[in-house]
């Protein structure tokens, strides 16, 4: 009898708490801690809150679609399997590579952001040195075992969640004068939110920043990726989806309200986390140092999730016979080592970005990653639309579905439209337009590569089977 790792199969070792924290860990990272500064400086306080509320709606719509699909068919690397089944094999292949790109590029921006954090304490050490250190740490965490990875991610994420709650409470106290400001100035109240008017640059910046907002929310869909390595997915996935979305909305909107109230629009940016800026203003000793450390663990946690996700995508592509077999091989701990090693290329991207131009390349990396994840979300909505329609056409009762997205077909259609609108918004922002210049040719390249390599990989798998 063959063991699971000889079969090239992953092990079902994740529990509910791992899945919830994996999803939160993927989300509460670079996007929330760094991108919010860019979004506040672009759209103003009220515009940022509105953009994130729309982003939360998009996430809810996409997760309802994904919930129904992943409970009906729990598989590792889920979205591309669904896309291949319901939208065509070439689309499935492209979706897998897009999601791989999302997290591999996000690894780059995460390591760069972690380097920014370390420069807060060690301004003389270049960012790229820290990138090398963190590449090694995250790779080691992923290589030992899935259970070890999930346990590490659980504690990483718990630190973040506790800190976000503390930030909302302390920041709220500073806004209304219960905690003094560092420079002795009066409590700002809501003056920074209204100082520049509700929408200082009009409505267009909200459209322009929608992909950055979606990038900040990306990671929720990790629940679908991890479904194939979860115990009792029928019970665990619906609970994970419900709790994750509720917590995200509370954390993001609460956090953004505090940030927008305490940081004037002109002072926000990406070179220093807006969270550290807030604690430098608030008169709590060592608060900025403590928070910088927490942000560092948060970003490394997001990188940890990202390497996991991108490695599993390559494993899944090979498992579906659209990549060479070497990517599907796993070690005795059930870890796809080759797939993880290739995905670590994102760390090299980080080194490149941190040496060339950290501030501008960081926004560009985030935009490319955001475009890729929104494209994946589009495929999830479209796959769900076709899945439910075929289920009904086959004469099967809806009661067969253990988790059903409400208000079909409104949920997948609205999710699809809002994601497309977000991609269109990229065109109007020169600093993010590179995402379209890189993203659209990448999609075309994937479709082309699928048809070129399909025959080669099929022959290789057939040869091995013989």
């Amino acid at each position: 009898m063959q063991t699971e790792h000889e079969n090239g199969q992953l092990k079902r070792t994740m529990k509910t708490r791992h899945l919830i924290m994996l999803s939160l860990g993927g989300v509460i990272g670079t996007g929330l801690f760094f991108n919010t500064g860019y979004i506040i400086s672009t759209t103003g306080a009220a515009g940022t809150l509105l953009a994130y509320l729309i982003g939360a709606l998009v996430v809810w719509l996409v997760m309802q679609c994904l919930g129904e699909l992943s409970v009906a068919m729990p598989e590792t690397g889920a979205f591309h399997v669904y896309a291949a089944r319901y939208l065509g094999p070439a689309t499935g292949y492209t979706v897998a590579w897009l999601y791989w790109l999302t997290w591999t590029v996000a690894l780059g921006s995460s390591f760069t952001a972690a380097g920014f954090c370390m420069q807060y304490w060690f301004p003389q050490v270049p960012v790229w040195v820290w990138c090398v250190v963190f590449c090694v740490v995250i790779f080691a965490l992923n290589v030992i075992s899935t259970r070890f990875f999930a346990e590490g991610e659980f504690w990483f994420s718990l630190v973040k969640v506790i800190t976000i709650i503390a930030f909302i409470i302390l920041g709220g106290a500073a806004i209304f004068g219960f905690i003094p400001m560092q420079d002795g100035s009066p409590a700002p109240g809501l003056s920074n939110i209204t100082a520049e008017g509700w929408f200082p640059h009009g409505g267009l910046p909200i459209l322009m920043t929608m992909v950055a907002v979606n990038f900040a929310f990306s990671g929720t869909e990790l629940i679908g990726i991890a479904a194939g390595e979860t115990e009792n997915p029928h019970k665990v996935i619906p609970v994970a989806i419900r709790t994750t979305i509720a917590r995200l909305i509370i954390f993001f909107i609460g956090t953004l309200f505090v940030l927008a109230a305490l940081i004037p629009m002109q002072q926000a940016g990406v070179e220093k986390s807006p969270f550290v800026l807030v604690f430098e203003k608030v008169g709590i000793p060592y608060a900025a140092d403590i928070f910088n450390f927490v942000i560092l663990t948060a970003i490394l946690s997001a990188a940890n999730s990202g390497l996991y996700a991108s490695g599993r995508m390559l494993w899944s592509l090979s498992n579906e016979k659209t990549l060479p077999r070497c990517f599907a091989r796993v070690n005795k701990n059930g870890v796809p080592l080759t797939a993880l090693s290739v995905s670590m290329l994102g760390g090299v991207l980080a080194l490149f970005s941190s040496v060339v131009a950290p501030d501008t390349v960081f926004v560009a990396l985030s935009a490319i990653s955001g475009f890729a994840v929104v494209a994946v979300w589009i495929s999830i909505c479209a796959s769900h639309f076709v899945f439910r329609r075929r289920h009904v056409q086959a004469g099967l009762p809806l009661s067969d579905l253990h988790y059903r997205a409400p208000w079909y077909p409104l949920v997948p259609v609205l999710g699809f439209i809002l994601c497309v609108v977000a991609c269109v918004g990229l065109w109007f922002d020169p600093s993010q337009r590179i995402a379209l210049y890189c993203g659209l040719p990448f999609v075309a390249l994937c479709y082309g590569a699928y048809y070129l390599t399909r025959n080669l990989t099929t022959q290789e798998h057939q040869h091995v089977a013989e």
Side-chain angles (χ1 to χ4, degrees):
M1 184 180 140
Q2 285 186 307
T3 62
E4 281 179 305
H5 76 270
E6 283 166 351
N7 263 337
Q9 292 306 303
L10 304 174
K11 300 176 181 179
R12 291 190 182 272
T13 53
M14 290 205 210
K15 298 181 168 22
T16 312
R17 67 187 178 91
H18 292 140
L19 203 59
I20 292 169
M21 284 302 187
L22 173 63
S23 185
L24 283 174
V27 180
I28 303 172
T30 318
L32 180 61
F33 289 125
F34 275 82
N35 278 30
T36 40
Y38 159 75
I39 295 167
I40 290 170
S41 67
T42 308
T43 66
T48 300
L49 284 168
L50 181 59
Y52 271 90
L53 281 168
I54 296 168
L57 171 64
V58 174
V59 168
W60 184 82
L61 294 167
V62 172
M63 290 303 288
Q64 293 306 314
C65 297
L66 181 60
E68 184 172 313
L69 288 165
S70 55
V71 169
M73 300 166 284
E75 305 204 32
T76 297
F79 340 118
H80 86 92
V81 178
Y82 307 147
R85 204 168 288 171
Y86 298 107
L87 306 175
T91 303
Y93 178 82
T94 302
V95 163
W97 277 111
L98 276 169
Y99 199 65
W100 180 82
L101 180 74
T102 296
W103 280 111
T104 306
V105 172
L107 273 176
S109 56
S110 292
F111 290 135
T112 307
F116 286 152
C117 285
M118 293 305 291
Q119 280 203 314
Y120 183 77
W121 295 304
F122 306 101
Q124 69 283 6
V125 180
V127 171
W128 71 265
V129 174
W130 297 115
C131 288
V132 173
V133 172
F134 296 135
C135 281
V136 173
V137 171
I138 294 302
F139 189 70
L141 263 180
N142 269 268
V143 163
I144 296 169
S145 76
T146 302
R147 184 63 182 268
F148 187 80
F149 154 79
E151 203 60 45
E153 190 55 44
F154 175 80
W155 293 106
F156 263 153
S157 298
L158 193 61
V159 170
K160 286 192 280 196
V161 169
I162 291 167
T163 309
I164 292 283
I165 293 167
F167 175 80
I168 292 171
I169 293 168
L170 293 173
I175 290 168
F176 299 108
F178 298 110
I179 294 176
M181 302 302 281
Q182 181 76 38
D183 58 3
S185 60
L190 303 181
S191 60
N192 283 329
I193 292 180
T194 55
E196 305 285 332
W198 286 104
F199 303 109
H201 302 308
L204 186 60
I206 296 171
L207 176 65
M208 283 160 40
T209 55
M210 278 315 302
V211 163
V213 169
N214 289 335
F215 171 69
F217 276 120
S218 66
T220 38
E221 71 295 319
L222 275 168
I223 289 173
I225 282 268
E229 291 176 84
T230 305
E231 295 175 356
N232 304 318
H234 294 298
K235 293 179 184 172
V236 169
I237 293 171
V239 174
I241 285 175
R242 280 195 294 271
T243 51
T244 302
I245 292 175
R247 290 174 193 183
L248 276 183
I249 291 169
I250 293 165
F251 292 161
F252 270 69
I253 303 304
T255 302
L256 284 163
F257 178 78
V258 171
L259 287 175
L262 288 175
I263 302 178
M265 182 178 164
Q266 298 82 359
Q267 290 180 23
V270 295
E271 288 227 359
K272 185 184 283 187
S273 169
F275 289 77
V276 176
L277 272 177
V278 162
F279 276 121
E280 284 177 345
K281 289 172 175 292
V282 174
I284 302 174
Y286 301 110
D289 288 285
I290 293 165
F291 213 85
N292 198 51
F293 172 74
V294 171
I295 290 169
L296 180 63
T297 61
I299 289 164
L300 293 178
S301 151
N304 197 27
S305 297
L307 184 58
Y308 168 83
S310 51
R312 291 313 183 272
M313 264 302 163
L314 293 188
W315 175 88
S316 185
L317 274 170
S318 182
N319 199 44
E320 294 288 311
K321 300 182 173 47
T322 48
L323 267 189
R325 279 184 73 253
C326 61
F327 291 100
R329 290 199 191 104
V330 297
N331 64 15
K332 65 180 188 300
N333 296 322
V335 174
L337 196 58
T338 308
L340 282 176
S341 304
V342 172
S343 298
M344 201 63 205
L345 286 169
V348 178
L349 264 178
L351 303 185
F352 174 73
S353 72
S354 59
V355 171
V356 177
D359 50 348
T360 50
V361 176
F362 179 79
V363 173
L365 281 179
S366 298
I368 292 166
S369 190
F371 168 82
V373 84
V374 173
V376 170
W377 288 1
I378 288 170
S379 82
I380 291 170
C381 294
S383 298
H384 172 248
F385 180 82
V386 178
F387 164 74
R388 175 75 76 88
R389 198 171 64 176
R390 285 195 194 163
H391 185 87
V392 172
Q393 283 172 348
L396 299 169
L398 289 180
S399 57
D400 282 0
L401 301 172
H402 296 287
Y403 185 96
R404 287 196 298 279
W407 307 313
Y408 178 88
L410 178 65
V411 163
V413 170
L414 185 59
F416 184 92
I417 291 169
L418 287 173
C419 287
V420 170
V421 167
C423 290
V424 171
L426 284 173
W427 180 255
F428 296 97
D429 184 355
S431 66
Q432 294 190 92
R433 204 174 289 159
I434 186 172
L436 292 177
Y437 294 150
C438 295
L440 293 174
F442 185 80
V443 169
L445 182 69
C446 287
Y447 273 99
Y450 172 77
Y451 291 110
L452 283 173
T453 61
R454 180 180 54 176
N455 295 333
L456 295 174
T457 48
T458 305
Q459 283 165 10
E460 188 210 352
H461 283 275
Q462 282 171 349
H463 176 68
V464 170
E466 287 163 9

